[in-house]
Amino acid sequence: MAESSPKVALETTHGRIVLQLDAEAAPETVANFLQYVDDGFYDGTLFHRVIPGFMVQGGGMDKDMRQKPTRDPIRNEADNGLKNKVGAVSMARTQDPHSATAQFFVNVNDNDFLNHTAPNPQGWGYTVFGEVVEGMDVVRTIEGVPTGRSGMHQDVPQEPVVLENARRAE
């Protein structure tokens, strides 16, 4: 396995998803993601935000919908030429372009409006750092789960979708 394109297997309550990461295009983002994987940070977290036709998001909330403490945010690498297309894996962030920590999402549509257009708050975009190479059917299953509100959060699966563990894969 080339270190420039490591794979990570996500075992979920709906099945296995394998991501192939692009450390050449997004070196800081991939290093950050792999550190969370190696630390076991994602084990037992939820896919807590599911919007059909848009994306499924996870990696930051525990089973009680509490945000887990993270390391410091990383630099946005969305100007790397990778696009938010179906199956692309990207970092979630706040309005601050350089605020990504642990949360990530899988695009279930070609979300061109999330791509980098300019190095300003409106144009930074969302860093793509890999793609689903196995288990897109699992992502589609998660995309189809019924959602609702949970406290202040919207688009939350009514039955928890748990990311049981994330491990480096061959």
Side-chain angles (χ1 to χ4, degrees), residues 14-111:
H14 290 280
R16 177 182 167 101
I17 302 165
V18 178
L19 312 178
Q20 183 148 24
L21 310 182
D22 191 334
E24 215 167 282
E28 291 177 46
T29 305
V30 168
N32 176 69
F33 185 78
L34 288 174
Q35 188 63 59
Y36 281 113
V37 168
D38 293 345
D39 290 347
F41 179 88
Y42 293 122
D43 298 1
T45 59
L46 298 175
F47 279 94
H48 66 275
R49 187 168 174 235
V50 173
I51 303 176
F54 179 37
M55 58 92 223
V56 301
Q57 180 174 332
M61 300 285 192
D62 68 16
K63 290 181 183 177
D64 296 317
M65 282 295 290
R66 287 189 303 250
Q67 190 151 344
K68 292 182 70 171
T70 61
R71 294 190 311 275
D72 290 339
I74 57 171
R75 184 177 67 84
N76 188 316
E77 295 178 299
D79 56 353
N80 63 15
L82 300 179
K83 303 297 182 201
N84 283 280
K85 61 182 176 41
V86 173
V89 183
S90 303
M91 291 305 294
R93 61 173 177 79
T94 66
Q95 291 295 94
D96 175 354
H98 304 285
S99 62
T101 55
Q103 291 189 34
F104 62 92
F105 62 92
V106 177
N107 289 276
V108 296
N109 203 347
D110 290 340
N111 294 315

